[in-house]
Each structure stands twice: as structure tokens, then as C-alpha cells.
Amino acid sequence: MIAHIEHVREVAGIDHVGLGGDYDGTTWLPVDLPDVASYPRLFDALADRGWSETDLAKLGWRNALATFARIQECARITP
């Protein structure tokens, strides 16, 4: 999972990667990440690999919040 997250960061950039917490619609879950309660372990592992607090915040919630803000802005200007 960590390798996949880091690959997305390398390809798309830190401002374009985020985590979802719904776990709906899947029959396979990572052994060490069965639900969102295991996210602290994931964030610790990424921090151990050099991720900054700012980058972890973007992964966890800031990027999603920024996306929602852009969606709202588009909705306001769309006739």
C-alpha cells in the first residue's frame, strides 16, 4: 500500500493524492489496513519514509477538502 501511495505522489504530485475511508464496493482489503482505524499505522510508516507533516495532512484530508472547495466554486459559477 505504501509503495502505491508513493507512486501516485511521484506521478501526480502531492497535491493530487488522497485517501478515502469508505471501503465500500471491494472484496479485497490490505491485511494491515482492514479499516480506517489502521490509518495511524499507515501515516507512521509514511513519516518513517520521510513524509512531512504537511504532506501527510494533504494525503489525509487537505487535498480532499481542496477538491470539495473547487467543486463548490464550479457549482456557483455554472449557470
Side-chain angles (χ1 to χ4, degrees):
M1 183 64 119
I2 292 168
H4 290 290
I5 293 169
E6 289 194 322
H7 176 72
V8 173
R9 182 180 69 164
E10 290 171 14
V11 172
I14 190 58
D15 293 328
H16 304 286
V17 61
L19 296 176
D22 58 0
Y23 282 83
D24 291 333
T26 185
T27 57
W28 179 87
L29 297 169
V31 174
D32 293 333
L33 294 170
D35 56 36
V36 297
S38 53
Y39 279 6
R41 196 169 353 141
L42 173 65
F43 280 67
D44 288 344
L46 291 168
D48 289 345
R49 292 174 73 117
W51 282 55
S52 69
E53 287 293 321
T54 300
D55 287 353
L56 291 171
K58 287 181 177 187
L59 176 69
W61 62 275
R62 281 189 183 164
N63 287 342
L65 190 60
T67 298
F68 291 137
R70 286 191 298 274
I71 290 168
Q72 286 183 318
E73 183 60 30
C74 288
R76 279 192 285 274
I77 61 174
T78 301

